[in-house]
C-alpha cells in the first residue's frame, strides 16, 4: 500500500495490518526456492536426454544408455563440481 492509503486509514480510524519480516524464514524460503528450481532443471534435462535417446536409438540401445545415464556420479557444490564418492 501507499503512504497516502496508510494516512487515510489512520485518520479515518480504519483497521490495518502490520507485516513483519522474519530473516530466518526469508533465508529458508530462498534456499527452498533454489532447491526446487535445481530439482526442476534436473528433471527437464533428464527428460530431454531420455527423449533424444528414444528418438534416435533402438529399445535395447536406449535401455543400455539410460542405465549408463542413471549411474553417472552425483555432483554437489560441496565437491566443487567434481564427482562425490
Amino acid at each position: 500500500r501507499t503512504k497516502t492509503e496508510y494516512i487515510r486509514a489512520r485518520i479515518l480510524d480504519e483497521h490495518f495490518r502490520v507485516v513483519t519480516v522474519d530473516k530466518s524464514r526469508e533465508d529458508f524460503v530462498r534456499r527452498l526456492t533454489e532447491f526446487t528450481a535445481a530439482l526442476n532443471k534436473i528433471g527437464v534435462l533428464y527428460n530431454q536426454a531420455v527423449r533424444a535417446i528414444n528418438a534416435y536409438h533402438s529399445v535395447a540401445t536406449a535401455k543400455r544408455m539410460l542405465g549408463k545415464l542413471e549411474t553417472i556420479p552425483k555432483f554437489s557444490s560441496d565437491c566443487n563440481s567434481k564427482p562425490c564418492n
Side-chain angles (χ1 to χ4, degrees):
R1 293 190 147 185
T2 64
K3 289 180 184 179
T4 306
E5 290 173 325
Y6 172 77
I7 293 169
R8 185 181 309 125
R10 296 309 313 143
I11 291 172
L12 298 175
D13 201 28
E14 295 177 0
H15 295 286
F16 68 98
R17 290 189 305 172
V18 176
V19 179
T20 58
V21 178
D22 183 4
K23 289 290 185 182
S24 63
R25 187 174 188 183
E26 185 178 304
D27 184 48
F28 173 75
V29 170
R30 181 186 53 79
R31 291 180 67 206
L32 184 62
T33 302
E34 289 173 358
F35 176 75
T36 304
L39 189 60
N40 184 49
K41 187 175 183 179
I42 290 169
V44 168
L45 292 174
Y46 184 80
N47 190 37
Q48 289 175 351
V50 169
R51 284 180 182 219
I53 289 171
N54 285 333
Y56 299 110
H57 298 285
S58 68
V59 174
T61 305
K63 285 182 181 179
R64 188 172 59 250
M65 292 177 83
L66 284 174
K68 289 180 183 179
L69 179 65
E70 291 174 348
T71 59
I72 292 175
K74 295 179 177 79
F75 288 89
S76 170
S77 61
D78 296 337
C79 300
N80 297 323
S81 298
K82 295 177 186 172
C84 293
N85 294 330

